[in-house]
Amino acid sequence: MGILVKGGTVVTALDSARADVYCDNGTVTAVGIDLSSMKRKGDREIDASGKLVLPGAIDAHTHMELPFMGEVSKDDFEQGTIAGTAGGTTTIIDFVIPTKGQSLLEGLAKWKEKAQKAVSDYAFHMAVVDWSDKIKAEIPVVAKEHGITSFKMFMAYKGAIGIDDEQLFNIMLSVRDAGGIVTGHCVNGDVLVVLAKKFLAEGKGGPIWHVRAQPPEAEGEACHRAISLATIAGVPLYIVHNSCDSSVEQLKLARAKGLHVYGETCTQYFLLDESLCEPDPAGVNYILSPPLRTKPDQESLWAALRDGYIQTVATDHCPFDTKQKLLGKGNFTKIPNGLGGVEERLALMYSYGVKKGRITAQKWVDCCCTAPARIFGLYPRKGAIAPGGDADLVIFDPSVEWSISAKTHLSRSDHSPFEGWRVQGKVETSIVRGRVLYEKGKFQGSKGDGQFLRRPRFERV
Ligand code: URP
Ligand code: ZN
Ligand code: ZN
């Protein structure tokens, strides 16, 4: 069955135009002014007049069913991708995070098993949390045989999944040889350990001390170090979840030099600030790493997105219930780190980015849909509305006003970091490979329908 999406405004990373989109057999076959003549018997027609038609959004940073800090994040691949489709996210890139000592391929097998439940498409980044001859030998196998060409390293989380500079540099050399890109959680882990110990010894255990233990300069320093090491190794680098001006400064320097360095931030860093972590213990529900920052940091992130120093906006979707968060009551080092948001990104970025005049509609589509596809080798199969590409489409109604609430969201989390936020614009329909998975408030896809996406060698974008 084909689908004709009729009369909408097609918004891409380059332009906006009134056009129809015709999809057949899971792919886009035509984009044009009036495609009514292409419609065949049995095809479905969706009236998109007054609506925006976008490429399916890609969330390049999620953690579904992640075992982390003694807990497991609330959304598994099924519920997390259902929530994603409600928010127009039709592809996620989740992180395989093997345990220390575990082989990358064992970790991958575990993630493949968990991800079988996904309702929409997914790819993986591979985290390297250790270094050994075995891991060195596995990196090219992961890249070439499994199509996973981005490798994550954590400079924080010392004593758990964090690595030191020697390990980091070894990983970079191997990823370069395998034709991959390194993605980095860049925060100085030693600063964090020392400050956390000091604060706890002083009786400062409330959630705000999690924020104080990761000053913005600890992020800027680690970004600078990662960029320098990547430059020496000759490997492209994608810095995940940039939260502050200090890291933006490093992205600017790197990109001004023409280095292969890319920046991601997440919706929460634009909109939520550190004051939310102040109440003790209620602030536990706003704890993630890097932490929420200040309003001037938010302005710096908007400017960096507008000016092209930051290319992608993801979510780092990793929600924990209040009960799980409260395990760190009185000791912030025990709060499972992470927030939800896979469902709200597109609408929040439209409402507080496009509608507030901070970014153009093209930038909105680029940072949420197209740039993640380009950087991670999925373009133009994903991230575009072009003949031959997957029919992953979002029909977005810019006229709907609504409020975010944990009472109505599809994530399993018992709270939302954006509770009560008013939003202008809502996803009406999400289509994945020509199948309507979400329409007018109802999910209508099936568990297991998601496909794993193999990715090629990194190409400079
Ligand atoms: O607090 C966060 N961001 N939790 C998820 C793991 C990570 O560091 O990305
Ligand atoms: Zn991280
Ligand atoms: Zn993350």
Side-chain angles (χ1 to χ4, degrees), residues 116-402:
Q116 272 177 8
K117 288 184 281 186
V119 303
S120 59
D121 291 354
Y122 56 94
F124 294 134
H125 308 282
M126 172 60 73
V128 186
V129 304
D130 220 339
W131 186 248
S132 64
D133 287 344
K134 186 168 167 58
I135 289 173
K136 184 176 178 180
E138 284 183 320
I139 286 178
V141 177
V142 168
K144 289 170 193 154
E145 289 177 23
H146 295 272
I148 298 170
T149 45
S150 43
F151 292 83
K152 171 90 180 272
M153 52 79 180
F154 295 91
M155 296 167 85
Y157 305 127
K158 279 280 158 82
I161 53 178
I163 51 168
D164 64 25
D165 288 352
E166 183 181 344
Q167 293 171 317
L168 170 54
F169 192 60
N170 271 313
I171 293 167
M172 286 178 163
L173 292 173
S174 289
V175 172
R176 177 202 62 195
D177 292 344
I181 178 168
V182 169
T183 72
H185 174 131
C186 301
V187 175
N188 185 311
D190 294 315
V191 166
L192 215 163
V193 167
V194 172
L195 288 182
K197 267 194 200 145
K198 176 177 173 327
F199 294 148
L200 288 177
E202 291 166 358
K204 297 166 176 165
I208 192 63
W209 296 99
H210 169 88
V211 180
R212 303 285 172 251
Q214 302 190 48
E217 294 76 10
E219 194 176 326
E221 183 282 323
C223 288
H224 176 79
R225 191 159 24 108
I227 291 167
S228 305
L229 296 179
T231 307
I232 301 167
V235 71
L237 174 69
Y238 174 94
I239 301 181
V240 302
H241 51 41
N242 289 275
S243 73
C244 58
D245 183 57
S246 196
S247 68
V248 165
E249 273 178 9
Q250 299 305 321
L251 290 172
K252 281 186 183 168
L253 286 172
R255 292 190 63 87
K257 287 186 198 157
L259 301 177
H260 298 211
V261 174
Y262 305 90
E264 167 199 280
T265 189
C266 305
T267 329
Q268 57 271 24
Y269 296 118
F270 289 118
L271 302 176
L272 307 177
D273 71 72
E274 61 180 37
S275 65
L276 293 161
C277 308
E278 212 50 85
D280 188 6
V284 292
N285 275 349
Y286 294 93
I287 292 306
L288 81 166
S289 289
L292 299 177
R293 303 291 191 186
T294 65
K295 292 202 187 303
D297 288 304
Q298 295 175 357
E299 288 315 313
S300 171
L301 293 174
W302 283 115
L305 178 63
R306 206 167 44 231
D307 297 342
Y309 298 113
I310 283 177
Q311 291 76 40
T312 64
V313 175
T315 64
D316 197 3
H317 183 80
C318 188
F320 294 94
D321 267 353
T322 307
K323 193 166 157 225
Q324 297 174 298
K325 292 288 213 184
L326 281 171
L327 293 170
K329 183 174 170 206
N331 181 346
F332 64 87
T333 63
K334 295 202 167 3
I335 307 168
N337 286 198
L339 301 188
V342 73
E343 201 166 338
E344 293 88 12
R345 175 181 61 135
L346 207 54
L348 283 169
M349 290 304 292
Y350 181 77
S351 200
Y352 292 92
V354 181
K355 289 304 280 182
K356 296 268 183 214
R358 288 171 165 136
I359 54 171
T360 62
Q362 279 63 50
K363 180 63 87 175
W364 171 54
V365 170
D366 196 35
C367 67
C368 293
C369 315
T370 309
R374 275 200 314 266
I375 295 171
F376 292 114
L378 295 170
Y379 188 84
R381 177 177 172 192
K382 305 285 189 191
I385 305 182
D390 282 356
D392 292 2
L393 300 175
V394 173
I395 302 174
F396 188 87
D397 188 342
S399 69
V400 176
E401 270 193 57
W402 60 291

Side-chain angles (χ1 to χ4, degrees), residues 8-68:
T9 299
V10 173
V11 187
T12 73
L14 293 176
D15 51 22
S16 301
R18 284 286 295 277
D20 296 351
V21 182
Y22 184 72
C23 316
D24 192 27
N25 217 5
T27 56
V28 172
T29 51
V31 184
I33 289 171
D34 180 2
L35 302 181
S36 302
S37 62
M38 295 189 79
K39 200 177 145 205
R40 294 170 315 196
K41 197 159 174 246
D43 281 356
R44 177 161 177 209
E45 180 170 324
I46 300 178
D47 177 13
S49 44
K51 319 274 163 65
L52 310 180
V53 181
L54 326 173
I58 299 174
D59 191 337
H61 190 153
T62 67
H63 300 284
M64 303 306 174
E65 206 179 327
L66 173 69
F68 193 51

